[in-house]
Amino acid sequence: MDLTIGQIAARAGVNTSHIRYYEDVGVLPPPVRVHGQRRYGEDVLHRLSIIDVAQRAGLTLDEIRDLTGPGNAGDRIRALADRKLPEIEALIERAQAVKRWLETARSCDCSTVDVCGLFVDPTLAPPPRAAM
């Protein structure tokens, strides 16, 4: 427990404010304090790596906190994957529909958007955004 927050931040490639925030929201455990200063062990670098990978996978900090809490991580990650996969599949479908719309728009030669079928014909419109 001899690394400062600045040393951890530099080694992990994050700002010290990220580390403090992660502690505040509970995805990092509170550090030991020596003379009022935060002190960390090497293990916090692994936890920061887990947070980074989980965020890049689209997990929220709440989901990461639940995932890294006590108990069987395998059960939690499988349940999380079961919940998240339908969301991702819907997002992919929407992205594919938007791509088709943009490919059609690329060949548009309408004089104004007011008469363009892409904006008038509901069968050509991309799907509405899903409520979050």
Side-chain angles (χ1 to χ4, degrees):
M1 295 286 172
D2 57 355
L3 298 171
T4 66
I5 192 170
Q7 291 169 321
I8 290 294
R11 288 178 60 183
V14 298
N15 295 324
T16 57
S17 60
H18 281 94
I19 295 171
R20 286 187 201 98
Y21 181 68
Y22 292 156
E23 291 168 6
D24 288 344
V25 298
V27 294
L28 280 181
V32 171
R33 295 206 178 240
V34 177
H35 304 294
Q37 292 185 337
R38 290 171 166 88
R39 297 294 177 183
Y40 301 88
E42 297 274 335
D43 59 321
V44 78
L45 292 169
H46 180 64
R47 179 57 62 98
L48 286 168
S49 176
I50 290 169
I51 293 166
D52 177 56
V53 170
Q55 285 183 312
R56 286 188 282 136
L59 303 185
T60 66
L61 290 176
D62 285 340
E63 291 167 332
I64 295 167
R65 184 181 53 245
D66 292 342
L67 186 64
T68 59
N72 186 332
D75 288 345
R76 286 195 307 269
I77 196 156
R78 284 188 293 277
L80 182 61
D82 287 344
R83 278 195 323 270
K84 297 289 278 188
L85 277 170
E87 294 172 18
I88 296 303
E89 289 167 355
L91 183 63
I92 290 168
E93 285 180 31
R94 176 170 167 60
Q96 290 171 335
V98 169
K99 180 182 178 202
R100 286 189 299 274
W101 186 88
L102 290 169
E103 288 169 341
T104 303
R106 184 184 285 166
S107 63
C108 176
D109 62 357
C110 296
S111 57
T112 70
V113 294
D114 295 318
V115 296
C116 181
L118 289 168
F119 296 94
V120 178
D121 184 346
T123 63
L124 295 177
R129 292 178 192 252
M132 299 270 175

